[in-house]
C-alpha cells in the first residue's frame, strides 16, 4: 500500500518542532515509532499534509530515574528501552510487566511509550500501570507548557486532549510511595503477541492487612482506560480479606463498561474483570 | 531393512534447506525479480452476491504506470477446477463474468510498473453491481425459496456422496445403547507463512513460464494451459521454495491465470503476491461442517453400527469440496469395526468464501465428531475410553466394504502405549478440579488412489541418473512445500544405491524438466507414492550395475549383489567390492558411453477407493482449565502413532509438532469470524494463531509396523496427526469442567457459560 503524499519534517530541536506545529497545526501529525500511524496512513484511516518525526529531537529522548524526581520517559524513548531500564524493573514492576507483554520484540524496539498513549486505544498496555503510578504527561505548545495526568489525557477511543499544535515531550512518573505494591495483568487468547481482551493494574499500600491506599485501573472495558473508583471505595480503609476481595471483584465487574465485539461478549469481559481483579488483590494480599 | 550394513532408513538427518530458510537466503516466489517485471493486483467483489452490470476500467488504464487491465469480458470464460473427471463440478472461472458469489470473488486484474501503482489503480475501477440476496449458512441455503448461488443448482446442493454397508436398522435394533449427537466445526485458515505468489513470463516463442507458490505444479500446468487456450506442454510451471500449503495451494487460482494472461498481453513478466488480509478474507479455508451422527453399542461396548449425515458449507464454489464430501464419510468409518455404516454427505453452496482442502481434509471434522461421540458413549456406558476403543479397534486385514482394506495397522498397540505413556489410569483415578486428560484417535490415508484430475500419467515419477564419479541425480516433480519430502526421497535413493545423502543431487519443481508426472503434495502421498517411484528407478539402475559387477567378478549366478558404502559387492563376499562410480563407468563403456539413467513410476491399482495404506494413532491431551476465566492451557500432549517405518524420525517429529500447533489453534483460538459472508478478522491480530509460548510439551512414540505398500515399510505422518488434537482437548475439557464442546472452537466464554449453569 502506498503512503499518501505528505511533507516529512525531521526537526532536531524542540524549538524547531514547535515552530513546525505552530505553522501546520491541524494539518500535521507527530510520529514516534510510527508502528500504528504509518499503517493508519496507508489504509487511509488517518490523513495529514505534514508528518513530523520526533526521533531526531534530542530533548525528547532518554529514560532517567532519580529518587526525587522519579522516572522520566522521553517522548521518543522506545518501549524496549523502558522495559530494560533497571529502575523500571525495580521500582515500577507493573509497568515493566506491561511492556513485557506488549506486541512483539520488533515493535517494542520501534514503538514509543508516548505513542502508545497518544494512539489512545482503550487497551493500550502501558496506560493502566502508568495511571496507577500517578504518571503525568508533559505537553508543550508554542504558547506554553502543561502537565496532565494520564487518566485525564484520554478522551475516547483514538482521542486525547492534545491540541493541534501541542506535543508530548515526556512522561513523568513520581517515585513510588513507600510500601507501594502493584500488580499488572492481561488476558489475551494467545500467551504472547496479542492484544488485551482485558488488562488492569492495581496499586496498593497495606498497613497490616488494612488497605491504606488503593487505585485500580481497567483497560479495554470502557472507551478509555478507566479508574475503578467504586471498587476502590469498597477496599479503601478495609481489611483485605477473602470476603472483601470478593466484594471488590464484584464491584469491578459491575462498574466496568465493556462492549460486545468479535473478540468476546461484554458479559464475558466483565467476568474477566471479576476474575482478574480477584486474582490481583489475592496476590497483593499474599505479597505483604 | 537390510542387516549387515549401515542403513539410512530411520536416521535422524537434519534438513539441508533449514539454514537457508531460517536465515532468509532461500528463494520463494516473491523473492524472484525479472527485468521489466510488472506488479499485478486483483480487484475483488465487495458484495457477497451480485450481478455485474458493467465495469469501467478507463480511469485505471489512464493512471500512469498501469500497463494492463483485464475483466471477465476480456478473457475466455473457461470453467476450471481440479475435478476434470466430472466437468460439471468445474464451476469456477478465473474472473467473474456476470455474477459475483462471495466477498472477495475476483472481478478484474491489472498490472502496473510497481505494486503501489497497481493498488492505486484498483481503486479507480468502477464496477456497477446489482446486489442479489445471498445465503450464508447451510440452513439458509437449503431453505425453501432460497436464492440460488449457481443457477444450475436451484436447491444449492452441489452434490451428495453416500457410503452404505451392513444392515443399519438391525444394528440399531440390536443395540443396548444408542446415542445421537450433532457436532459443528468452523472455518479456519491454513495461515501458511508464505502468502500466495506467482510470477509469469511469456517466452519469445509464445510459450509460457510460471513460477508459483503451489503444492501441485502439474495441476497448475494443465489448468493454466486450458484456461489460456494453450497446449499443456507449452506451459512450464516452476515451483520455488514454498512456505507451507496445507491444502490451500493445490488448485489453479485466479491470480495465476491473471499473471499469465497479462504477461502474454504485455510481453513483460508479471508478478502477483497476495497480502495477508486477502489470504484471510478471500482465501480457501477448512470446510465448516455440521455432522449428525448416531451410534449403537451392545452393553459390553461392542459397536453395532453408525450413521453419519454431514452438511458441508462449501461457500461459493466447489473447489476440492466433492473430495471432502466423500472423505468425511470414509473417515467416519475408520478406526473401529462398524458392522453396519451409512453415510450421507451433502455439499451445500453458500455465498461464503469458498472452502477447500486443508490438512486432514475431512478427517479433522469427521474425527472431532466421531471421537467426541466415542468419549461420550464411554462415559455413559461406564467403560474406560481406551477400553472401549480397544474392544472395537480395527486390525490388520479389516475391510470397509467397497471402500478400503487395511493392511498394516498398529492401532491397538498405539492405544496400549498411550495409556502407559500418559499415565492414563493413575491420572484418571485421581482427578483434580480444573484438570483433565482427554483422548482421541485417528487414521489417515497415505496418498489418495482417486483420479479426479483424470491424469493420463503415472501418479508419481522419478528419474535417476548415476555418474562415474559415484554420484547420482534424482529428478522428480514431487513437491516439497516445507514438509521435508525432498530429503526423504533423497534418503530413499541413497539407501537403495548405497550412497550418502550428499552424493545425491535433487532436481525438482519444474514441469518442463521433471518426468511426467507427479500429482503434487496432498493426501500425505509423497513418501509412499514418489518414494515407490524412486525405488523403482533405483532398482532398474542397480539391475544394470549388477550385470557389470557379475561380469567383472565372474560370479556364480546364485550370488546376490548389494550396494553399500559407495560400493557394489556380492552380499556373501563384501570384500570383493567395486566403487559405485567405477561400475557406472563400466556400464557406460559397455553401451558406447551412453549415460546411465532410469525412470520409475508409481500408480496405485487395486487398492480400493481411498488409499494404499492407512496410518493410525492415539493422542492424549492434558489440560488445565482456569475455572474463573475459562482459559484452557494445554499442559502436555502425548502421542503414539503408527506411521510404518520412520524414514527420518526428525521429519516425523517436525510433522507432529506442526500438527499440534495447528490443531491447538483449531481447537481453542482460531476461527474465521464471518457476518453475512464478510470475514471480520482478516488480520493475524484477530485471527489467533497460537504462538511458541502456547505450545505444550510433547511426548511421542511410534509403534513398529511395516507397511508392504510403502517404501521401506513407510506410510504417512503428515496429516493424520492434525486430526486427534481438537477432540482430545475437547474431551480433556469435558473431564476437567463437565463442559462438552460440540461446536468448535472451545472458546473460554462457552466454558464459563456452562459453569454458570447457562
Amino acid at each position: 500500500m502506498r503512503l499518501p503524499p505528505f511533507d516529512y519534517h525531521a526537526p532536531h530541536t524542540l524549538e524547531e518542532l514547535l515552530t513546525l506545529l505552530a505553522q501546520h497545526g491541524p494539518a500535521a501529525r507527530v510520529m514516534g515509532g510510527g508502528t500504528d500511524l504509518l499503517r493508519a496512513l496507508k489504509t487511509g484511516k488517518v490523513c495529514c499534509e505534514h508528518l513530523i518525526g520526533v526521533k531526531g529531537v534530542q530533548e525528547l529522548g532518554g529514560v532517567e530515574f532519580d529518587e526525587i524526581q522519579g522516572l522520566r520517559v522521553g517522548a521518543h524513548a522506545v518501549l524496549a528501552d523502558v522495559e530494560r531500564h533497571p529502575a523500571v524493573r525495580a521500582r515500577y514492576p507493573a509497568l515493566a510487566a506491561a511492556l513485557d507483554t506488549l506486541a512483539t520484540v520488533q515493535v517494542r524496539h520501534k514503538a514509543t511509550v508516548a505513542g502508545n498513549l497518544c494512539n489512545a486505544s482503550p487497551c493500550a498496555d502501558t496506560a493502566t500501570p502508568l495511571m496507577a503510578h500517578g504518571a503525568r504527561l508533559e505537553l508543550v505548545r508554542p504558547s506554553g507548557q502543561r502537565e496532565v495526568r494520564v487518566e485525564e489525557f484520554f478522551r475516547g477511543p483514538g482521542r486525547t486532549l492534545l491540541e493541534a499544535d501541542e506535543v508530548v515531550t515526556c512522561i513523568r512518573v513520581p517515585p513510588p510511595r513507600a510500601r507501594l505494591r502493584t500488580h499488572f495483568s492481561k488476558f489475551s487468547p494467545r500467551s504472547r503477541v496479542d492484544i488485551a481482551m482485558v488488562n488492569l493494574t492495581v496499586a496498593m499500600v497495606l498497613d497490616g492487612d488494612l488497605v491504606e491506599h488503593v487505585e485500580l485501573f481497567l483497560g479495554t472495558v470502557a472507551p478509555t482506560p478507566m479508574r475503578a473508583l467504586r471498587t476502590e471505595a469498597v477496599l479503601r480503609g478495609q481489611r483485605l480479606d477473602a470476603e472483601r476481595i470478593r466484594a471488590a471483584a464484584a464491584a469491578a465487574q459491575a462498574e466496568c463498561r465493556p462492549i460486545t465485539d468479535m473478540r468476546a461478549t461484554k458479559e464475558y469481559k466483565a467476568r474477566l474483570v471479576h476474575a482478574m481483579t480477584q486474582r490481583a488483590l489475592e496476590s497483593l494480599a499474599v505479597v505483604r | 531393512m537390510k542387516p549387515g550394513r549401515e542403513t539410512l532408513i530411520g536416521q535422524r538427518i537434519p534438513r539441508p534447506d533449514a539454514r537457508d530458510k531460517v536465515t532468509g537466503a532461500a528463494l520463494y516466489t516473491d523473492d524472484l525479480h525479472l527485468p521489466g517485471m510488472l506488479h499485478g493486483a486483483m480487484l475483488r467483489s465487495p458484495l457477497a452476491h451480485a450481478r455485474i452490470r458493467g465495469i469501467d476500467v478507463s480511469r485505471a488504464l489512464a493512471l500512469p504506470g498501469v500497463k494492463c487491465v483485464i475483466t471477465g469480458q476480456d478473457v475466455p470464460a473457461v470453467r476450471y477446477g481440479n475435478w476434470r473427471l466430472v466437468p460439471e463440478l468445474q464451476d469456477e472461472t478465473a474472473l467473474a463474468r456476470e455474477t459475483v458469489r462471495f466477498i472477495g470473488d475476483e472481478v478484474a486484474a491489472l498490472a502496473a510498473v510497481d505494486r503501489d501503482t497497481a493498488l492505486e489503480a484498483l481503486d479507480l475501477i468502477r464496477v456497477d453491481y446489482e446486489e442479489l440476496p445471498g445465503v450464508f449458512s447451510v440452513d439458509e441455503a437449503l431453505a425453501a425459496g432460497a436464492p440460488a448461488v449457481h443457477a444450475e443448482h436451484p436447491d444449492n446442493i452441489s452434490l451428495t456422496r453416500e457410503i452404505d454397508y451392513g444392515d443399519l436398522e438391525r444394528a440399531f435394533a440390536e443395540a443396548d445403547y444408542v446415542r445421537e449427537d450433532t457436532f459443528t466445526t468452523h472455518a479456519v485458515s491454513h495461515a501458511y507463512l508464505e502468502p500466495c505468489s506467482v510470477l509469469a513470463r511469456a517466452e519469445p516463442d509464445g510459450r509460457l513460464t510460471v513460477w508459483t507458490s503451489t503444492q501441485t505444479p502439474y495441476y497448475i500446468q494443465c489448468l493454466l494451459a486450458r484456461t489460456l487456450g494453450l497446449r499443456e506442454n507449452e506451459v512450464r510451471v516452476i515451483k520455488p521454495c514454498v512456505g507451507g500449503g496445507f491444502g490451500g495451494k493445490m488448485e489453479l487460482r485466479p491470480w495465476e491465470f491473471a499473471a499469465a494472461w497479462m504477461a502474454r498481453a504485455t510481453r513483460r513478466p508479471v508478478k502477483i503476491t497476495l497480502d495477508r488480509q486477502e489470504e484471510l478474507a478471500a482465501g480457501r479455508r477448512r470446510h465448516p461442517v455440521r455432522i449428525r451422527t448416531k451410534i449403537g453399542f451392545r452393553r459390553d461396548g461392542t459397536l453395532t453400527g453408525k450413521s453419519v449425515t454431514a452438511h458441508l458449507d462449501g461457500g461459493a464454489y466447489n473447489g476440492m469440496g466433492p473430495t471432502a464430501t466423500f472423505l468425511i464419510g470414509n473417515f467416519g468409518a475408520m478406526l473401529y469395526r462398524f458392522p453396519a455404516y451409512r453415510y450421507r454427505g451433502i455439499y451445500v453452496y453458500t455465498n461464503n468464501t469458498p472452502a477447500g482442502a486443508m490438512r486432514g481434509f475431512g478427517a479433522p471434522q469427521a474425527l472431532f465428531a466421531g471421537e467426541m461421540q466415542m468419549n461420550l458413549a464411554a462415559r455413559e456406558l461406564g467403560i474406560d475410553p481406551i477400553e472401549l476403543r480397544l474392544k472395537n479397534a480395527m486390525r490388520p486385514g479389516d475391510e470397509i466394504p467397497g471402500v478400503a482394506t487395511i493392511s498394516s495397522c498398529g492401532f491397538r498397540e498405539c492405544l496400549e502405549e498411550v495409556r502407559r505413556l500418559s499415565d492414563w489410569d493413575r491420572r484418571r483415578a485421581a482427578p483434580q478440579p480444573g484438570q483433565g486428560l482427554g483422548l482421541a484417535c485417528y487414521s489417515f490415508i497415505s496418498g489418495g488412489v482417486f483420479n479426479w484430475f483424470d491424469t493420463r500419467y503415472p501418479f508419481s515419477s522419478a528419474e535417476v541418473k548415476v555418474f562415474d564419479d559415484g554420484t547420482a541425480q534424482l529428478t522428480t516433480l514431487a513437491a516439497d512445500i516445507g514438509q521435508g519430502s525432498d530429503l526423504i526421497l533423497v534418503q530413499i535413493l541413497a539407501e537403495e544405491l548405497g550412497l550418502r545423502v550428499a552424493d545425491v543431487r535433487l532436481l525438482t519443481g519444474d514441469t518442463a524438466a521433471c518426468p511426467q508426472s507427479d500429482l503434487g503434495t496432498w493426501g500425505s502421498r509423497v513418501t509412499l507414492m514418489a518414494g515407490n517411484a524412486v525405488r523403482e528407478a533405483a532398482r532398474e539402475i542397480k539391475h544394470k550395475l549388477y550385470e557389470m559387477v557379475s561380469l567383472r567378478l565372474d560370479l556364480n549366478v546364485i550370488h546376490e549383489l548389494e550396494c553399500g558404502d559407495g560400493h557394489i559387492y556380492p552380499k556373501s563376499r563384501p570384500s570383493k567390492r567395486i566403487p559405485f562410480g567405477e561400475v557406472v563407468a563400466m556400464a557406460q563403456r559397455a553401451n558406447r558411453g551412453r549415460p546411465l539413467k532410469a525412470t520409475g513410476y508409481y500408480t496405485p491399482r487395486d487398492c480400493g477407493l481411498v488409499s494404499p495404506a492407512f496410518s493410525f494413532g492415539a493422542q492424549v491431551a492434558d489440560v488445565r482449565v482456569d475455572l474463573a476465566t475459562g482459559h484452557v492451557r494445554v499442559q502436555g500432549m502425548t502421542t503414539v502413532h503408527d506411521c510404518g517405518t520412520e524414514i527420518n524420525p526428525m521429519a516425523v517429529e517436525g510433522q507432529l509438532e506442526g500438527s499440534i500447533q495447528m490443531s491447538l489453534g483449531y481447537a481453542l483460538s482460531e476461527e474465521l469470524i464471518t457476518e453475512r459472508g464478510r470475514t471480520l478478522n482478516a488480520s493475524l491480530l484477530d485471527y489467533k494463531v497460537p504462538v511458541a509460548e502456547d505450545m505444550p510439551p510433547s511426548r511421542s512414540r511410534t509403534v513398529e509396523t511395516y507397511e508392504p505398500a510403502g517404501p521401506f515399510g513407510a506410510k504417512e505422518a503428515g496429516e493424520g496427526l492434525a486430526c486427534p488434537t481438537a477432540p482430545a482437548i475437547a474431551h480433556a475439557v469435558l473431564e476437567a469442567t463437565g463442559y462438552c464442546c460440540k461446536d468448535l472452537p472451545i472458546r473460554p466464554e462457552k466454558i464459563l457459560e456452562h459453569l454458570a449453569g447457562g
Side-chain angles (χ1 to χ4, degrees):
Chain A
M1 273 166 282
R2 198 202 290 280
L3 279 168
F6 52 76
D7 287 334
Y8 182 70
H9 307 273
H12 296 290
T13 64
L14 183 56
E15 202 182 324
E16 286 173 30
L17 169 58
L18 292 174
T19 308
L20 285 164
L21 281 172
Q23 246 175 322
H24 304 299
R29 290 292 297 232
V30 173
M31 182 172 87
T35 53
D36 280 309
L37 186 56
L38 288 176
R39 180 159 175 83
L41 283 166
K42 282 184 176 180
T43 54
K45 281 188 190 133
V46 168
C47 58
C48 66
E49 287 166 41
H50 300 272
L51 190 65
I52 306 173
V54 298
K55 291 231 166 177
V57 181
Q58 206 163 3
E59 296 104 302
L60 303 194
V63 183
E64 298 117 33
F65 175 80
D66 71 60
E67 290 294 345
I68 294 151
Q69 299 291 325
L71 181 70
R72 179 191 163 277
V73 177
H76 68 62
V78 298
L79 300 169
D81 287 343
V82 183
E83 179 193 352
R84 279 195 298 249
H85 197 282
V88 172
R89 301 206 79 81
R91 309 298 302 275
Y92 306 95
L95 179 59
L99 290 165
D100 188 45
T101 68
L102 202 153
T104 62
V105 172
Q106 291 91 330
V107 168
R108 293 205 292 273
H109 279 80
K110 193 83 189 149
T112 61
V113 179
N116 191 233
L117 297 177
C118 289
N119 198 41
S121 162
C123 57
D125 282 322
T126 63
T128 64
L130 285 170
M131 288 166 151
H133 278 291
R136 292 168 165 271
L137 292 142
E138 187 181 278
L139 312 181
V140 179
R141 58 201 295 201
S143 57
Q145 179 177 335
R146 58 176 171 156
E147 272 198 9
V148 298
R149 290 188 299 134
V150 173
E151 353 171 7
E152 302 164 326
F153 184 67
F154 296 108
R155 279 290 180 262
R159 290 189 299 118
T160 67
L161 51 60
L162 267 184
E163 297 291 341
D165 60 351
E166 199 168 34
V167 66
V168 176
T169 50
C170 71
I171 300 148
R172 293 187 189 280
V173 197
R177 60 170 85 197
R179 296 182 287 115
L180 186 77
R181 303 280 184 190
T182 58
H183 182 96
F184 170 83
S185 72
K186 168 174 172 175
F187 184 91
S188 57
R190 277 192 287 244
S191 304
R192 289 268 160 180
V193 198
D194 210 353
I195 193 167
M197 201 179 270
V198 172
N199 51 15
L200 64 78
T201 303
V202 189
M204 186 178 274
V205 176
L206 287 170
D207 179 7
D209 57 1
L210 282 182
V211 178
E212 187 179 295
H213 162 87
V214 61
E215 289 184 36
L216 168 60
F217 295 90
L218 305 171
T220 77
V221 290
T224 66
M226 64 172 276
R227 183 165 177 184
L229 285 166
R230 270 173 273 169
T231 309
E232 291 174 12
V234 169
L235 292 164
R236 194 166 291 116
Q238 303 295 323
R239 214 172 283 284
L240 191 63
D241 55 19
E243 193 184 336
R244 187 57 50 181
I245 289 175
R246 273 197 299 277
Q253 180 177 6
E255 88 176 294
C256 67
R257 291 172 284 132
I259 55 166
T260 293
D261 57 19
M262 68 175 162
R263 289 174 188 153
T265 60
K266 59 184 181 191
E267 290 80 13
Y268 178 67
K269 289 180 194 171
R271 286 288 307 270
L272 277 182
V273 167
H274 184 288
M276 290 164 68
T277 303
Q278 175 157 350
R279 285 208 180 133
L281 294 173
E282 281 166 358
S283 79
L284 290 169
V286 170
V287 163
R288 84 179 181 278
Chain B
M1 260 172 256
K2 297 173 181 173
R5 74 177 183 87
E6 197 67 23
T7 174
L8 284 170
I9 303 304
Q11 295 290 320
R12 303 179 63 87
I13 303 174
R15 291 167 51 159
D17 57 344
R19 174 175 293 271
D20 271 8
K21 284 183 171 172
V22 298
T23 57
L27 292 178
Y28 296 81
T29 303
D30 191 55
D31 296 321
L32 307 178
H33 299 272
L34 292 175
M37 183 176 86
L38 301 176
H39 296 260
M42 307 300 294
L43 182 72
R44 298 172 178 282
S45 168
L47 301 174
H49 199 193
R51 190 162 294 124
I52 299 173
R53 281 197 288 238
I55 305 180
D56 177 5
V57 302
S58 56
R59 287 178 63 218
L61 263 178
L63 185 72
V66 174
K67 302 295 180 190
C68 184
V69 184
I70 55 171
T71 72
Q73 297 300 325
D74 304 319
V75 298
V78 179
R79 288 172 161 232
Y80 64 87
N82 279 352
W83 269 80
R84 293 200 304 186
L85 188 66
V86 184
E88 308 90 86
L89 293 174
Q90 296 182 304
D91 59 2
E92 229 169 326
T93 57
L95 297 173
R97 231 173 138 82
E98 283 148 10
T99 310
V100 289
R101 296 186 175 86
F102 73 96
I103 293 173
D105 212 350
E106 289 82 359
V107 172
L110 55 80
V113 290
D114 57 48
R115 186 168 156 78
D116 285 339
T117 305
L119 294 176
E120 198 177 329
L122 283 187
D123 287 341
L124 301 176
I125 300 177
R126 288 285 161 267
V127 185
D128 181 11
Y129 291 107
E130 176 194 343
E131 191 163 6
L132 301 170
V135 286
F136 302 99
S137 68
V138 162
D139 287 336
E140 280 180 38
L142 297 181
V149 179
H150 292 267
E152 301 88 330
H153 296 273
D155 58 359
N156 286 322
I157 293 175
S158 162
L159 84 161
T160 59
R161 293 296 297 263
E162 275 156 34
I163 299 173
D164 202 342
Y165 58 83
D167 184 342
L168 197 69
E169 276 61 44
R170 213 181 80 192
F172 287 133
E174 284 179 355
D176 300 308
Y177 171 70
V178 175
R179 68 173 295 133
E180 190 166 357
D181 300 280
T182 300
F183 297 90
T184 60
T185 65
H186 59 307
V188 289
S189 169
H190 309 86
Y192 28 67
L193 281 177
E194 181 209 12
C196 289
S197 180
V198 59
L199 168 61
R201 178 173 70 192
E203 303 297 346
D205 61 10
R207 293 189 172 87
L208 180 75
T209 306
V210 173
W211 293 259
T212 187
S213 178
T214 185
Q215 309 176 210
T216 52
Y218 168 65
Y219 295 173
I220 306 307
Q221 176 197 5
C222 299
L223 296 175
L224 252 189
R226 176 161 158 69
T227 51
L228 293 167
L230 295 171
R231 291 180 290 181
E232 273 177 21
N233 195 28
E234 289 168 338
V235 176
R236 177 184 181 190
V237 173
I238 299 173
K239 176 201 76 69
C241 282
V242 172
F246 309 106
K249 297 175 179 171
M250 62 174 291
E251 299 176 60
L252 176 69
R253 306 302 300 279
W255 46 92
E256 290 169 320
F257 168 84
W261 183 276
M262 293 192 292
R264 284 165 61 80
T266 61
R267 313 300 302 167
R268 291 173 69 169
V270 175
K271 180 196 281 181
I272 300 179
T273 300
L274 301 197
D275 65 24
R276 189 60 73 176
Q277 196 269 339
E278 284 179 286
E279 286 280 5
L280 288 169
R284 299 288 203 239
R285 45 201 50 204
R286 183 174 281 160
H287 290 95
V289 187
R290 183 171 66 208
I291 297 177
R292 218 175 127 143
T293 172
K294 184 175 171 184
I295 194 165
F297 294 88
R298 292 187 196 286
R299 196 162 290 110
D300 68 353
T302 308
L303 276 164
T304 62
K306 175 157 113 165
S307 74
V308 175
T309 306
H311 284 89
L312 292 84
D313 178 349
Y317 298 103
N318 276 326
M320 289 301 302
T323 314
T325 309
F326 171 71
L327 284 178
I328 289 173
N330 170 71
F331 291 120
M334 290 298 297
L335 287 173
Y336 312 110
R337 296 170 148 182
F338 298 102
Y341 180 75
R342 183 185 298 156
Y343 170 73
R344 188 171 148 82
I346 301 116
Y347 192 81
V348 181
Y349 282 132
T350 64
N351 294 108
N352 291 324
T353 305
M358 183 171 166
R359 197 175 196 170
F361 204 17
Q365 299 97 324
L367 290 171
F368 174 67
E371 289 299 277
M372 274 307 279
Q373 193 175 43
M374 282 298 276
N375 290 325
L376 291 167
R379 275 166 86 95
E380 296 214 351
L381 287 164
I383 302 175
D384 179 272
I386 290 180
E387 284 302 328
L388 185 65
R389 286 168 167 88
L390 281 169
K391 194 163 200 67
N392 295 288
M394 275 182 163
R395 297 169 190 242
D398 278 3
E399 205 182 326
I400 303 175
V403 177
T405 302
I406 308 303
S407 49
S408 65
C409 171
F411 184 31
R412 295 174 56 82
E413 294 80 354
C414 291
L415 285 162
E416 297 284 12
E417 180 64 13
V418 87
R419 164 146 68 186
R420 201 190 59 73
L421 198 60
S422 66
D423 203 9
W424 177 262
D425 293 332
R426 198 187 61 81
R427 287 284 307 274
R428 275 177 63 92
Q432 302 286 318
Q435 297 194 50
L437 291 188
L439 171 75
C441 305
Y442 76 89
S443 174
F444 201 74
I445 60 177
S446 304
V449 306
F450 10 81
N451 189 12
W452 26 259
F453 196 70
D454 196 23
T455 181
R456 295 85 186 255
Y457 289 117
F459 278 24
S460 282
S461 312
E463 184 193 81
V464 174
K465 280 189 194 173
V466 289
F467 301 88
D468 64 7
D469 60 358
T471 62
Q473 177 171 299
L474 168 61
T475 311
T476 174
L477 199 54
D480 193 331
I481 56 166
Q483 81 271 41
S485 59
D486 278 356
L487 174 59
I488 299 298
L489 297 181
V490 167
Q491 261 181 270
I492 288 172
L493 180 62
E495 171 68 14
E496 280 288 350
L497 299 181
L499 303 176
R500 296 167 302 176
V501 162
D503 295 330
V504 179
R505 169 198 283 140
L506 179 71
L507 291 182
T508 182
D510 182 342
T511 59
C514 299
Q516 274 65 38
S517 193
D518 188 283
L519 300 186
T521 284
W522 52 266
S524 295
R525 58 183 297 285
V526 180
T527 294
L528 188 141
M529 296 199 181
N532 279 332
V534 170
R535 285 193 89 185
E536 186 179 271
R539 283 170 176 167
E540 196 179 321
I541 295 274
K542 285 201 301 194
H543 180 73
K544 289 174 183 165
L545 295 176
Y546 286 177
E547 284 176 5
M548 296 299 130
V549 175
S550 298
L551 273 173
R552 164 73 63 92
L553 299 178
D554 196 19
L555 290 177
N556 186 315
V557 294
I558 61 167
H559 274 289
E560 176 65 291
L561 290 144
E562 192 169 74
C563 295
D565 203 17
H567 290 76
I568 302 177
Y569 47 84
K571 219 171 161 179
S572 54
R573 297 204 197 126
S575 60
K576 300 188 75 174
R577 60 186 205 166
I578 308 174
F580 186 88
E582 204 178 308
V583 183
V584 173
M586 285 155 55
Q588 287 176 203
R589 278 196 294 268
N591 279 289
R592 303 179 66 83
R594 280 194 204 170
L596 188 51
K597 61 180 181 182
T599 311
Y601 302 100
Y602 179 83
T603 302
R605 287 201 181 85
D606 194 26
C607 39
L609 298 179
V610 188
S611 181
F614 296 87
S615 62
F616 291 86
Q619 190 171 57
V620 169
D622 179 359
V623 310
R624 180 190 289 267
V625 181
D626 184 332
L627 298 175
T629 65
H631 184 256
V632 176
R633 174 85 202 174
V634 180
Q635 307 184 110
M637 296 298 298
T638 308
T639 312
V640 180
H641 61 125
D642 160 22
C643 60
T645 303
E646 290 181 282
I647 306 274
N648 184 341
M650 277 181 104
V652 173
E653 285 162 18
Q655 288 295 323
L656 172 62
E657 284 170 23
S659 293
I660 290 174
Q661 188 272 348
M662 203 164 194
S663 308
L664 197 65
Y666 186 50
L668 297 173
S669 59
E670 291 182 43
E671 180 178 18
L672 288 163
I673 301 167
T674 59
E675 194 176 270
R676 309 297 290 166
R678 183 179 308 281
T679 301
L680 303 178
N681 54 339
S683 86
L684 291 176
L685 178 65
D686 281 312
Y687 183 80
K688 309 281 187 186
V689 179
V691 294
E693 212 169 285
D694 298 313
M695 276 292 282
S698 161
R699 272 179 306 189
S700 69
R701 296 264 196 286
T702 53
V703 300
E704 261 188 53
T705 62
Y706 188 94
E707 171 54 51
F712 299 102
K715 43 191 182 177
E716 81 88 29
E719 288 185 88
L721 289 164
C723 304
T725 307
I729 292 172
H731 180 213
V733 168
L734 169 67
E735 295 291 332
T737 65
Y739 165 65
C740 176
C741 177
K742 291 186 174 183
D743 57 333
L744 283 175
I746 310 165
R747 289 173 74 119
E749 289 181 78
K750 297 178 183 173
I751 297 176
L752 279 201
E753 268 170 40
H754 168 85
L755 291 174

